[in-house]
Amino acid sequence: MDIYLIRHTSVNVSEGICYGQTDVPLKDTFEKEAMLVKQNLRDISFDAIYTSPLSRCTKLADYCGYPEAVRDERLKEISFGAWEMMSYSRIMGYDPRLREWLDDFLNVPATDGESVADLNVRVASFLDELRRKDYRRVCIFAHGGVLAGAKVYAGLIRPEEAFKSPEPFGGIVRISL
């Protein structure tokens, strides 16, 4: 099975803000970025289309011609819990757990949130279920963390490499299972 994972387009959020599962707006460049994604997918037919339920993914799926994409909670970005919509510098000033998380984001969850390992378990659960279906080609609109989790699942990167080189906004990753 070939899986095409598409990262949503650029978000209108300041640099250094933890926005994980918050439903944030997209930049004004959405249509330009989305057009490139749509062009890259135009000659590919899919047996199934899935999306994160967050609007930054559903909007891209809709634009690309897939308004009926199946929404799945497991495709949401990592949860930053109490840190959502806060800057790292602000968090550092009041929550010492940020230092623990930065030292071991793979295993240490954000306060009231998830660790990267938690995210990877959620993504693996989705992909395990998908593998049991008789599909040849699947499209998934998701987030940088989900794309990294899928690459870990497919053996393309190690878990500790999850945040080292995120896919660009509008980027497409293809994995084979």
Side-chain angles (χ1 to χ4, degrees):
M1 174 186 313
D2 288 331
I3 300 175
Y4 291 75
L5 296 127
I6 296 104
R7 186 176 183 198
H8 58 79
T9 59
S10 300
V11 295
N12 193 13
V13 175
S14 299
E15 187 76 23
I17 300 292
C18 296
Y19 61 89
Q21 291 189 359
T22 301
D23 214 357
V24 297
L26 295 169
K27 284 190 175 178
D28 292 340
T29 56
F30 169 75
E31 193 161 331
K32 180 180 176 185
E33 293 177 63
M35 179 68 75
L36 289 173
V37 173
K38 186 174 183 176
Q39 288 173 351
N40 287 328
L41 298 176
R42 74 172 172 253
D43 295 328
I44 306 169
S45 61
F46 297 104
D47 300 313
I49 316 288
Y50 293 89
T51 185
S52 159
L54 298 178
S55 66
R56 56 191 186 263
C57 294
T58 60
K59 185 173 181 181
L60 183 57
D62 289 351
Y63 186 93
C64 290
Y66 308 112
E68 302 300 320
V70 177
R71 286 146 175 77
D72 194 299
E73 294 287 321
R74 294 171 292 180
L75 297 175
K76 282 184 174 180
E77 183 58 282
I78 191 169
S79 170
F80 285 114
W83 302 346
E84 291 275 334
M85 296 311 294
M86 294 177 65
S87 68
Y88 288 105
S89 60
R90 182 168 174 223
I91 299 164
M92 189 65 79
Y94 87 92
D95 191 341
R97 285 187 46 82
L98 179 60
R99 175 53 42 211
E100 293 174 46
W101 184 82
L102 289 170
D103 290 341
D104 187 11
F105 60 83
L106 184 60
N107 299 300
V108 175
T111 300
D112 299 327
E114 293 179 298
S115 67
V116 170
D118 295 331
L119 170 67
N120 288 346
V121 166
R122 196 165 28 90
V123 171
S125 166
F126 174 83
L127 293 172
D128 284 344
E129 185 177 305
L130 195 60
R131 286 180 98 150
R132 292 190 292 272
K133 299 189 183 282
D134 191 27
Y135 296 144
R136 289 180 310 116
R137 209 171 288 118
V138 176
C139 181
I140 299 171
F141 293 89
H143 309 272
V146 173
L147 272 65
K151 291 192 313 188
V152 168
Y153 183 90
L156 301 177
I157 62 172
R158 294 186 326 259
E160 55 275 7
E161 298 171 325
F163 287 149
K164 290 195 177 170
S165 56
E167 295 304 318
F169 292 112
I172 301 173
V173 171
R174 181 178 161 201
I175 63 172
S176 294
L177 301 179

